[in-house]
Amino acid sequence: MLFNTASRALGRMVATKQAGFGMAGGRSMSSFDLSGCFETHNLDSAPASSIEASKEELMSMFELMYTMRRMEITCDNEYKARTIRGFCHLYDGQEAVATGIQNAFDQADSWVTSYRCHCVALARGGSVREVVGELFGVIDGYSKGKGGSMHMYNKEHNFFGGAGIVGAQVPLGAGLAFASKYKTPPGEKMPVAIACYGDGAANQGQIWESANMCNLWKLPMIFCIENNHYGMGTSIDRHSSISDYYKMGNAIPGLRIDGMNVLAVKEGVRFAKEYAGSGNGPIYLEMMTYRYHGHSMSDPGTTYRNREEIEFTRTTRDPLEFIKKCLVDAEYMTPEELKEVEKGIRKDVQNQVKKAKESITPPLDELPKHIYAADLTPYNQEYPEYVRMPDIAKSYHFPK
């Protein structure tokens, strides 16, 4: 048995089929069917029922998703080898969500997410070496080894983290949406902000408050629930009185999306971006997805669900198998060619992890950086005289 009220969307796999060929910008395009991928709430229109994509676009998606998968599997192995310690929340199974959002977004759009942020950091301008290096706690990590698994940040690409508190990223997203509206000249299309959070966070009070403010002020905000059905280990049927999360905004429109279909995610987010960025106010998205690992590395993930369920999802709805099928059905790639691409990505991930291991722990004089600002000039910092240790005689004094 799957998930009662959510079973329709979770158990469904909408297979994309080649419907025709065209040309765009000199590139061959194929059309893929998205029928049944969306359910709407309080909307007068809906995303398109088909989408066109070129070989280059599909290959870019596939390569990013496969890199995400190999990176997370590597993190699992490194954690078990104790080269990664502390909190570690893996994203394998949910790759289509981050990849689809990235392909619908511009760099001007802002993105904040939960502590399950490795793959979003990768999509938003990072490298495997930086992400894994951050988990190793080395100076070449995404946040210079000071943030760890849950705290990655890239202002240049408008990625604002990784938030370690359940649901705390959503008010930050509302603030980013407010900033976007504040800075955009009247009459112009606004960049949007998206805050991604899981079904386990969906009933947080701070989310309801943020939704109220965003709707009152018509902010360009996308509330994105990545519904992997189990929160921290409790089925949605047991932890939420509302399981149609895309309707949780009440007066705010909502859209449910097949989150295992990267093309559906791209089209759904494109629709949401157009809606919110045009001054209509916020919108809720519910991505019907699934995580293969437990909530974190301390959770085996099989005490509240069985292995047969996990294997069923892997064999019928895996997002990587889906995009591979698109490439093969469109005659863009053969299975043999895709295997060669996978082989190259596996090797590249291994090499980047090896380079991350060659880096060093941040030196002590790195500790006070990025904390105290001397003024509003970026990176113009001031430092305390010392960091007090439990034994004051052993306190670390910074070089003058």
Side-chain angles (χ1 to χ4, degrees):
M1 179 174 168
L2 284 177
F3 306 106
N4 298 335
T5 54
S7 62
R8 289 171 299 149
L10 181 63
R12 177 187 66 219
M13 178 175 181
V14 182
T16 55
K17 296 293 183 182
Q18 183 180 347
F21 290 101
M23 296 291 289
R27 295 184 297 176
S28 174
M29 306 286 286
S30 288
S31 180
F32 299 90
D33 182 27
L34 298 179
S35 299
C37 289
F38 308 109
E39 295 178 59
T40 63
H41 168 68
N42 282 350
L43 285 167
D44 296 326
S45 59
S49 59
S50 65
I51 188 172
E52 289 192 339
S54 67
K55 174 183 178 180
E56 291 75 15
E57 289 170 327
L58 292 182
M59 281 302 298
S60 175
M61 292 178 183
F62 168 68
E63 289 170 358
L64 177 58
M65 290 169 66
Y66 193 72
T67 302
M68 290 175 175
R69 178 70 58 87
R70 296 308 308 177
M71 180 180 74
E72 293 294 69
I73 290 173
T74 300
C75 289
D76 173 78
N77 293 332
E78 294 292 339
Y79 195 95
K80 290 171 181 174
R82 299 190 177 185
T83 51
I84 294 173
R85 297 175 183 247
F87 294 104
C88 186
H89 304 82
L90 302 181
Y91 199 72
D92 49 320
Q94 300 183 210
E95 297 93 347
V97 177
T99 302
I101 294 172
Q102 175 64 15
N103 277 268
F105 264 28
D106 300 318
Q107 188 164 316
D109 298 314
S110 300
W111 195 342
V112 63
T113 190
S114 69
Y115 39 72
R116 200 179 302 278
C117 64
H118 307 164
C119 292
V120 180
L122 184 68
R124 213 62 175 160
S127 67
V128 172
R129 179 182 180 181
E130 291 173 321
V131 173
V132 177
E134 188 60 34
L135 272 67
F136 289 156
V138 298
I139 189 67
D140 295 323
Y142 205 94
S143 299
K144 297 186 179 298
K146 297 188 286 186
S149 173
M150 301 192 291
H151 302 286
M152 302 189 191
Y153 173 89
N154 190 331
K155 177 62 173 67
E156 181 183 355
H157 291 267
N158 281 325
F159 172 53
F160 294 90
I165 305 299
V166 175
Q169 67 273 24
V170 182
L172 298 178
L176 292 167
F178 180 86
S180 178
K181 183 172 184 176
Y182 185 82
K183 294 177 180 178
T184 303
E188 292 187 13
K189 187 71 67 66
M190 294 176 284
V192 301
I194 190 168
C196 295
Y197 54 100
D199 51 285
N203 285 293
Q204 281 269 324
Q206 57 193 326
I207 295 176
W208 295 102
E209 294 179 47
S210 300
N212 183 56
M213 293 172 69
C214 287
N215 203 33
L216 280 172
W217 298 340
K218 299 301 179 188
L219 301 183
M221 172 70 170
I222 300 174
F223 293 82
C224 181
I225 302 105
E226 296 189 62
N227 183 0
N228 60 35
H229 303 280
Y230 286 105
M232 292 180 66
T234 306
S235 168
I236 58 174
D237 296 324
R238 296 178 58 216
H239 75 66
S240 180
S241 62
I242 302 173
S243 56
D244 289 333
Y245 291 101
Y246 68 112
K247 298 179 181 179
M248 289 185 81
N250 299 316
I252 300 174
L255 179 65
R256 173 180 275 169
I257 302 172
D258 182 353
M260 305 298 265
N261 178 335
V262 67
L263 297 176
V265 175
K266 178 185 177 183
E267 171 57 19
V269 175
R270 180 208 62 78
F271 176 89
K273 174 177 159 63
E274 177 67 24
Y275 177 91
S278 298
N280 296 304
I283 186 170
Y284 266 63
L285 300 182
E286 179 183 5
M287 302 291 182
M288 303 300 282
T289 186
Y290 197 82
R291 55 171 167 76
Y292 294 149
H293 270 85
H295 171 72
S296 69
M297 288 301 296
S298 62
D299 169 22
T302 54
T303 57
Y304 46 85
R305 58 182 182 177
N306 56 53
R307 297 184 187 277
E308 289 75 17
E309 179 189 302
I310 301 169
E311 186 58 29
F312 174 79
T313 306
R314 283 184 182 275
T315 55
T316 60
R317 301 187 66 238
D318 184 77
L320 274 167
E321 293 303 316
F322 185 92
I323 193 69
K324 287 163 70 174
K325 188 177 190 303
C326 291
L327 285 159
V328 173
D329 284 356
E331 298 181 356
Y332 286 153
M333 297 287 284
T334 66
E336 292 73 25
E337 288 171 330
L338 288 171
K339 287 181 181 178
E340 286 300 310
V341 174
E342 291 175 345
K343 182 179 178 181
I345 291 173
R346 288 197 300 270
K347 184 176 181 180
D348 180 60
V349 169
Q350 290 173 353
N351 289 338
Q352 291 200 53
V353 171
K354 182 180 179 181
K355 290 179 180 178
K357 287 183 175 180
E358 294 170 355
S359 187
I360 61 170
T361 301
L364 285 174
D365 58 7
E366 183 70 25
L367 280 174
K369 293 183 179 179
H370 310 103
I371 298 176
Y372 301 104
D375 51 40
L376 295 179
T377 305
Y379 304 111
N380 188 19
Q381 306 169 53
E382 59 184 19
Y383 308 98
E385 292 183 14
Y386 65 93
V387 172
R388 192 191 190 288
M389 299 299 182
D391 181 349
I392 194 169
K394 296 180 180 179
S395 296
Y396 181 78
H397 291 261
F398 294 98
K400 297 294 185 181

